[in-house]
Amino acid sequence: MIRRGLTLIIFVLALAKSAANEAFDLNKRLSNGISIEEAFKVSNSEVIITFSDDDMKAALEHGFKHVRIPVSFDQFFNETSLKAKLLDKLKFLVDRLLEKGLAVIVAFEEYDALITDFDSNFQNFVNIWEQVTEHFKNVEGDLVFDLCREPLKENYKLNWTRLINETLPVIRKLSPNRFLMITITYYWSIHQLEIPATETKVIVGVRYGEPLYFTQQGSTDIAQYRTKGLVWPGPPKSVIVPDPEAMRDRE
């Protein structure tokens, strides 16, 4: 089953006055969206897209404006044949979504190797973004690159500025007009985020998950809630009652 989560872009910062209107206009077009947690799977050395045209149609019918595609690029790029197949399938999916009128955010899923050994792996992170950018450099429309979807671990916090400074010039050399999304690291405030002054096409993301009873319903990652069947917008038809087992797990 494909895990999908709601995404909400709640803060936009245009880092140059001349690009402010463009950034805010793009943010409005992105509006509300869904995140495909497992957009691709590997079967018999083939990369298979799990998000169908029917899924795209359903997303539009439910009023969603964009689709976020988190990809664990490092897992695919470790094998040359899978890397090429992934990039081709990813471009096919992005093109289809754009044709359907959905904006797209391609996000680098959290890179575990950076957490365990940042110095040995950060250049690989930069190299991966260079290859992804090269593959999409001619794609027009509302396609946004999210540098790292959830930079939550301590190593990201300590080295996030370095990653930004190393990666952005590589992307900009190939794609100077692509909007990028940069999320603040876990527990940082917006004032601690450092982005080069030359950057004018950046959306700064702040993650916000409230109300958790709605946004995390059915999640196995945050099991203490275990709510289900809640719809947006509220309020719910009846009082929300957490699963008794979940509340016992929380004690």
Side-chain angles (χ1 to χ4, degrees):
M1 179 178 292
I2 306 170
R3 290 178 55 211
R4 297 183 180 86
L6 293 175
T7 59
L8 176 64
I9 300 169
I10 61 169
F11 187 82
V12 175
L13 178 63
L15 297 180
K17 200 168 184 179
S18 61
N21 290 338
E22 190 177 358
F24 280 98
D25 287 345
L26 173 59
N27 192 61
K28 288 179 181 178
R29 294 196 299 275
L30 291 173
S31 184
N32 56 315
I34 58 174
S35 180
I36 319 171
E37 300 299 315
E38 296 171 2
F40 305 96
K41 65 179 181 179
V42 178
S43 178
N44 298 321
S45 298
E46 292 297 325
V47 179
I48 299 172
I49 299 172
T50 64
F51 197 69
S52 67
D53 280 3
D54 287 341
D55 293 323
M56 298 178 200
K57 181 180 178 182
L60 288 165
E61 288 175 348
H62 284 81
F64 294 112
K65 305 300 184 185
H66 80 265
V67 172
R68 180 189 294 267
I69 310 174
V71 184
S72 298
F73 285 109
D74 53 304
Q75 296 179 16
F76 289 92
F77 277 46
N78 287 334
E79 188 175 332
T80 303
S81 62
L82 282 183
K83 176 181 72 173
K85 292 173 181 177
L86 171 70
L87 288 174
D88 287 343
K89 289 296 178 70
L90 178 58
K91 187 173 184 303
F92 175 83
L93 178 57
V94 168
D95 287 343
R96 289 291 291 155
L97 290 166
L98 292 173
E99 287 171 8
K100 296 286 186 181
L102 287 158
V104 183
I105 301 172
V106 171
F108 200 140
E109 187 61 276
E110 192 170 45
Y111 188 9
D112 291 340
L114 287 176
I115 299 169
T116 56
D117 187 350
F118 181 90
D119 289 331
S120 298
N121 292 287
F122 94 94
Q123 189 58 52
N124 193 42
F125 177 91
V126 176
N127 292 342
I128 288 173
W129 265 121
E130 182 176 26
Q131 294 170 73
V132 172
T133 305
E134 173 68 31
H135 206 75
F136 285 90
K137 66 181 181 181
N138 295 322
V139 175
E140 299 180 352
D142 289 338
L143 170 62
V144 178
F145 289 159
D146 186 348
L147 207 60
C148 183
R149 188 176 75 127
E150 292 184 331
L152 303 181
K153 301 296 190 298
E154 186 67 16
N155 254 353
Y156 283 108
K157 181 177 179 180
L158 295 174
N159 297 286
W160 195 218
T161 300
R162 179 183 174 190
L163 265 182
I164 292 170
N165 288 335
E166 295 282 349
T167 309
L168 265 57
V170 171
I171 294 176
R172 286 299 177 226
K173 184 177 180 180
L174 296 165
S175 191
N177 295 314
R178 177 80 60 209
F179 261 93
L180 307 178
M181 183 172 291
I182 300 177
T183 303
I184 64 171
T185 59
Y186 202 34
Y187 294 135
W188 269 24
S189 75
I190 190 68
H191 305 292
Q192 292 173 292
L193 183 64
E194 296 181 17
I195 298 175
T198 54
E199 272 299 325
T200 62
K201 294 181 178 291
V202 169
I203 293 174
V204 175
V206 177
R207 303 197 66 81
Y208 183 75
E210 296 290 346
L212 291 176
Y213 288 108
F214 170 74
T215 63
Q216 303 300 325
Q217 59 182 312
S219 171
T220 56
D221 299 327
I222 307 182
Q224 63 263 39
Y225 295 101
R226 293 185 192 163
T227 47
K228 59 183 179 180
L230 302 178
V231 298
W232 184 270
K237 294 180 180 179
S238 59
V239 176
I240 298 173
V241 180
D243 184 290
E245 289 295 324
M247 296 311 293
R248 275 194 286 273
D249 291 345
R250 194 176 182 183
E251 293 175 355

